[in-house]
Amino acid sequence: MFPRKPLGFLIFTALAVAAAAFVWFGLPHDREVKSLGIFLVKLLPFIFATEAVARLDVEWARRYRLALLLVPPAFLLYFLYFVPKIFFFGGVASGTAEAFHGLYYHVLTVTPFLILATVLAFRLGGGTAALVRRLSYGMLLLMLSGLEDLAFLTVNDHTDPAYATIPEVWDWASHMTVFLGHPPTKVEAYVFILVHVVLGLAVFFSPQRWWDVLKVRVVRTRTESV
């Protein structure tokens, strides 16, 4: 028999996913609202998701560590789909390098803010300090990994020949360049991404006792140095 505690959460989660899929794939992506009915339908994914979160049993979620299973994928949906789309359409619309650089800077500045806002809400809701650190630092590693650069090249329909295929040298990826000392080749970029993803997964899912031992050693080292 299915446990009753998560049932409401799972039902509304399924409704939210179904409604979001219908809105995204079944309705035109219009800037203007054409009717009150369409407006209300487009609100359904948000309403269902809100009800799902409100019905989430905290003890059940804590038992199965759902924060680590749900929060990072939600962040990645934003960072690996919506951010590349923003950059792609923003680059077309801005028309100048200066305007695009301003857009790029602001989006990448708001991203760590969203991470902090997420873990703040998690902490205020009773999340442990250990999970706050795992979520925050793990998502930061994913942000810095270069996954978004790869997503920009793959989720958008590029007409520029320079980006129609994945470039052999990623000369725009300055966050990789400062580590490597030169613009990364495609293979180096893949390795850079893989290392960061593995580190992020290690932060998310490694046993807590490892971190407890590390913390004890750091404290002991500090005490001995004093």
Side-chain angles (χ1 to χ4, degrees), residues 8-21:
F9 166 73
L10 294 175
I11 289 174
F12 275 93
T13 297
L15 289 173
V17 171

Side-chain angles (χ1 to χ4, degrees), residues 180-207:
L180 300 176
H182 61 271
T185 64
K186 179 170 64 175
V187 173
E188 289 174 333
Y190 288 163
V191 173
F192 190 92
I193 291 171
L194 179 61
V195 168
H196 280 73
V197 169
V198 170
L199 288 174
L201 292 175
V203 170
F204 291 142
F205 299 115
S206 56

Side-chain angles (χ1 to χ4, degrees), residues 116-133 135:
L116 292 174
T118 301
V119 297
L120 174 61
F122 175 72
R123 181 63 168 157
L124 290 173
T128 65
L131 282 184
V132 166
R133 293 188 177 97
L135 288 171

Side-chain angles (χ1 to χ4, degrees), residues 21-34:
F22 174 74
V23 170
W24 190 258
F25 297 108
L27 296 179
H29 294 190
D30 292 331
R31 184 184 65 83
E32 297 179 356
V33 178
K34 298 296 178 62

Side-chain angles (χ1 to χ4, degrees), residues 80-82 84-85 150-158:
L80 299 186
Y81 183 78
F82 290 105
K85 288 293 185 181
L150 181 60
F152 178 81
L153 297 169
T154 55
V155 305
N156 295 312
D157 298 322
H158 293 280

